[in-house]
Amino acid sequence: MAAAVAEAPAQVAGLDANRGWMSVEDAQLVDKLLAEGQSHLFAQWPAPGERDEDKQRLLAQLRHLDASYAGGLAKYIQNARELLKDSKEGVNPFEGCVPSVPEGEKLDWGSPHFRELERAGVAAAGGCAFVLVAGGLGERLGYSGIKVALPVESASGTCFLQLYIESILALGAKAGGKALPLAIMTSDDTHQRTLDLLERNSYFGAAPGQVTLIKQEKVACLADNDARLALLDKDPFQVQTKPHGHGDVHMLLHSSGLADRWLAQGFKWVCFFQDTNGLVFRALPAAIGVSEANDYDVNSLAVPRKAKEAIGAITRLTYPDGRHITINVEYNQLDPLLRATINPQGDVNDDSGFSPFPGNINQLVLKLSTYCAELHRHGGVIAEFVNPKYADASKTAFKSSTRLECMMQDFPKSLPEGTRVGFTVVNQVWAAYSPVKNSPADAASKAQGGNPSHSATSGELDWYMANCKMLQALGAEVDGPQPAEFSGLSGLQLWPRVTWSPLFAASWDELAGKVEAPGLHIGADATLVIQAPNVRIKSLDLQQGTLVIAPAGGQQAADGAAAAGDGGQQQQQQQGEPLLVDGLVVRNAGWQWRALGPDDGASEEEYIRGFRVVKAEQQTLAAP
């Protein structure tokens, strides 16, 4: 790659006339940028005294961009120039590699082996720190707020952030009340709103200092193959910026000192998960158990994927020199790689009906000692890529500016030989992975093409299905499901609306210990909401209607279930006495999940689901 050459003084005359008022720091940064071919940033500067505030504004932004990238702006430009060169020349990053299926575990959700691993994972969770990647808004969904504020389901109204924090609190309670740390990566778009959500809700019960927010910064956009930084068309004193990708979480955990602090405090594992997959903690403890059993340094929680499905695949690659790495390979790279090496048919399904290469869902369990050592080796900067949209086949110009990006799941790319990398697949996708990421229109389009809709509708219905199937597997009588159609999605299954807080049950064993399943009957159109932790169900006949079990004196399901409808009933227990549900028969008008009509007004939360909950009547029990 040719080195950048500093521009002739005549090309930066506007800049030279302004050097007299610059600080030493600004002058040094400008000289570094000139050496990297960035004279265009300053070439049109007017004489001193004209637009000085705008010049200062640009310099302040450049200082910020320089400080927020490991190695500074000069390193960013050098990396960009190399990657843009490879992109233009069509360099294949996997040239000469031979793919194979990596080592890993494939589990049936709720099987004896799954429960054994989950049990081990719950026991090991006292040594876990957690990282939530939550830098996105819900605009793609048709929701104007931050995604972690979305309700997971409509029966309780619990938002994603509350669900995640309560899941971590429940695991900490199993470890003797240990405060397991949670770091949340935010962005400029989500940071303040995430903080406000936490503060309004007293951090959903987390201890002071248990939750830490780390904010991701943006990176400079690139205008051309020479990696010239792109200025805004309407503002020549501001560089265009875009998100760098969720791979920044590694650099932030390093630069903040969090990862090192967790290791020094004796934590063994760090678990990464994303913002709108409510089912992740139904599988994550088992994945921790798999990491413990196999001594994995890196363990990717994964799902079965159909051949050529548009989801990355966990793949073991063998290089010509004999080195091995296990990484995520994007689906559009895996198929041609297989065709060129071991299978002329490319990515095809095996006898299971799925590709042997499991699907990556960006949920990771990393051994903290290995992780910290690697962070110190490269500062948390992981493999970047660039994806320019070229104006034509010559690849000499872009349609619009581009930038370097990085992905959280690419962390294993730089691991040394001998690092133990594996995966954990839950064979029942609906039990572990039902993300909310598509608008109603996009979800309907994907469903018509035979793909998962991954919408607020499917996320909520899968939540109920997973809960009902857990109870069925334990021996409860759960009727249903009923056919349903919402937001143009046909063929849906609406199970009884059963939901509980992780503080009530966070594992199969805990659920089995609190519910005597043979004594439980839930009808097809019934709703059961358990928000209180201190409850035991011995005998309950809920064939029709709604039962809410809420903490005494606490907020009840969906904005006060006991006050909704005409027939609300409450049974108050003495403080501290466990609530035993025994011999209870519930029959009331209940709640109805009613599809929205084309002319119905609706909140954003209702619109993206395609239904609203109409509350006629319910019975409420208050538990200590």
Side-chain angles (χ1 to χ4, degrees):
M1 179 181 69
V5 179
E7 304 289 348
Q11 294 179 281
V12 289
L15 169 65
D16 292 341
N18 284 276
R19 283 184 177 271
W21 54 262
M22 285 187 194
S23 68
V24 173
E25 178 189 11
D26 285 341
Q28 290 175 341
L29 177 57
V30 166
D31 287 340
K32 289 179 182 179
L33 291 171
L34 292 178
E36 296 299 334
Q38 305 297 320
S39 64
H40 66 288
L41 297 174
F42 317 104
Q44 302 304 316
W45 275 20
E50 299 180 44
R51 305 196 70 173
D52 285 353
E53 289 185 1
D54 288 330
K55 300 168 195 173
Q56 292 278 15
R57 179 163 55 87
L58 175 61
L59 289 172
Q61 184 192 25
L62 292 172
R63 289 195 302 271
H64 182 76
L65 291 170
D66 185 62
S68 60
Y69 186 85
L73 267 175
K75 182 64 173 175
Y76 178 79
I77 294 164
Q78 293 162 10
N79 291 345
R81 197 177 290 118
E82 184 69 36
L83 289 168
L84 287 164
K85 176 176 179 289
D86 289 348
S87 176
K88 183 179 180 181
E89 295 175 359
V91 172
N92 181 358
F94 303 128
E95 184 69 35
C97 291
V98 177
S100 58
V101 179
E103 172 188 348
E105 291 257 13
K106 294 186 177 182
L107 306 174
D108 285 321
W109 189 61
S111 67
H113 186 44
F114 180 95
R115 291 180 62 174
E116 176 187 359
L117 289 167
E118 182 185 66
R119 199 172 294 124
V122 169
C128 292
F130 297 87
V131 180
L132 167 60
V133 177
L137 295 172
E139 293 172 339
R140 179 177 169 185
L141 308 173
Y143 179 65
S144 58
I146 55 175
K147 289 193 284 185
V148 293
L150 269 171
V152 179
E153 35 76 19
S154 306
S156 71
T158 299
C159 72
F160 281 99
L161 187 54
Q162 179 179 354
L163 176 69
Y164 297 147
I165 290 178
E166 287 187 353
S167 297
I168 293 167
L169 293 177
L171 292 173
K174 293 293 185 184
K178 191 172 184 180
L180 307 180
L182 168 65
I184 305 175
M185 187 178 80
T186 60
S187 65
D188 287 337
D189 293 329
T190 67
H191 185 85
Q192 188 59 49
R193 284 192 264 188
T194 303
L195 182 60
D196 290 345
L197 178 64
L198 287 165
E199 291 182 343
R200 280 197 312 271
N201 294 279
S202 302
Y203 284 75
F204 298 107
Q210 188 173 355
V211 180
T212 304
L213 271 57
I214 48 177
K215 187 163 77 73
Q216 175 188 27
E217 303 294 344
K218 295 180 180 179
V219 292
C221 291
L222 309 163
D224 53 35
N225 282 322
D226 292 324
R228 290 184 174 89
L229 303 187
L231 292 167
L232 290 176
D233 294 337
K234 296 181 179 180
D235 185 356
F237 295 92
Q238 185 172 345
V239 175
Q240 294 180 36
T241 60
K242 291 182 180 178
H244 191 215
H246 49 52
D248 270 354
V249 69
H250 303 300
M251 181 186 68
L252 291 170
L253 289 172
H254 177 62
S255 62
S256 67
L258 276 176
D260 285 335
R261 190 185 315 158
W262 293 340
L263 184 64
Q265 290 171 343
F267 290 98
K268 182 178 180 181
W269 305 103
V270 56
C271 304
F272 294 80
F273 59 102
Q274 291 194 286
D275 48 15
T276 56
N277 177 26
L279 292 165
V280 61
F281 279 89
R282 297 298 172 85
L284 190 54
I288 297 169
V290 170
S291 290
E292 281 277 348
N294 294 280
D295 195 31
Y296 284 151
D297 296 289
V298 177
N299 182 9
S300 295
L301 183 57
V303 295
R305 59 177 287 277
K306 293 287 187 180
K308 303 178 181 63
E309 183 180 348
I311 179 173
I314 309 299
T315 309
R316 186 174 192 259
L317 298 176
T318 302
Y319 285 89
D321 61 5
R323 290 181 297 117
H324 302 282
I325 60 171
T326 297
I327 60 170
N328 173 70
V329 175
E330 292 303 319
Y331 71 97
N332 57 351
Q333 297 173 312
L334 178 64
D335 188 67
L337 182 61
L338 289 168
R339 291 178 185 275
T341 53
I342 63 173
N343 190 344
Q345 295 180 305
D347 187 20
V348 294
N349 295 329
D350 59 21
D351 292 342
S352 70
F354 292 94
S355 168
F357 295 90
N360 168 60
I361 58 173
N362 292 341
Q363 326 283 336
L364 305 171
V365 180
L366 307 184
K367 184 184 292 182
L368 197 51
S369 57
T370 302
Y371 183 60
C372 288
E374 191 66 8
L375 292 181
H376 281 280
R377 193 170 69 83
H378 55 59
V381 178
I382 63 173
E384 294 173 304
F385 64 95
V386 67
N387 187 26
K389 302 297 187 289
Y390 296 106
D392 54 45
S394 69
K395 297 185 177 181
T396 56
F398 304 158
K399 290 182 179 179
S400 60
S401 63
T402 188
R403 86 285 197 186
L404 299 191
E405 300 179 68
C406 59
M407 297 189 294
M408 178 175 69
Q409 65 269 27
D410 283 343
F411 176 79
K413 282 187 174 180
S414 62
L415 290 171
E417 185 74 12
T419 306
R420 289 189 55 76
V421 182
F423 66 81
T424 301
V425 162
V426 177
N427 292 326
Q428 293 72 27
V429 179
W430 48 263
Y433 184 61
S434 187
V436 177
K437 59 183 182 180
N438 292 317
S439 68
D442 289 342
S445 176
K446 288 183 177 295
Q448 289 171 4
N451 297 308
S453 62
H454 289 166
S455 65
T457 310
S458 60
E460 177 161 347
L461 269 57
D462 283 349
W463 177 260
Y464 300 142
M465 176 169 63
N467 290 340
C468 288
K469 290 197 171 185
M470 282 186 81
L471 291 172
Q472 284 181 333
L474 293 175
E477 182 181 355
V478 181
D479 299 339
Q482 297 176 311
E485 181 174 347
F486 301 120
S487 292
L489 297 171
S490 58
L492 299 174
Q493 293 186 338
L494 181 60
W495 285 78
R497 275 65 75 199
V498 176
T499 187
W500 59 77
S501 165
L503 300 175
F504 169 72
S507 67
W508 282 83
D509 283 355
E510 192 167 18
L511 184 64
K514 291 193 171 183
V515 178
E516 295 187 26
L520 177 61
H521 178 200
I522 301 175
D525 202 29
T527 300
L528 174 61
V529 179
I530 306 174
Q531 295 176 300
N534 198 13
V535 179
R536 181 170 166 241
I537 298 176
K538 184 175 181 180
S539 175
L540 170 61
D541 185 357
L542 175 58
Q543 289 192 38
Q544 183 177 353
T546 296
L547 175 64
V548 176
I549 306 177
Q555 183 181 8
Q556 295 174 342
D559 300 320
D566 296 327
Q569 304 174 43
Q570 296 190 54
Q571 298 178 16
Q572 179 74 42
Q573 302 294 309
Q574 293 182 358
Q575 185 66 30
E577 180 185 345
L579 175 65
L580 175 64
V581 179
D582 187 11
L584 180 62
V585 177
V586 177
R587 301 285 188 275
N588 58 56
W591 299 350
Q592 181 185 2
W593 270 242
R594 182 177 297 171
L596 293 174
D599 300 324
D600 289 345
S603 67
E604 289 181 340
E605 292 86 350
E606 292 170 335
Y607 168 74
I608 63 176
R609 286 168 164 76
F611 56 76
R612 68 161 41 99
V613 180
V614 179
K615 300 173 185 175
E617 187 181 15
Q618 67 285 315
Q619 181 170 340
T620 301
L621 307 181

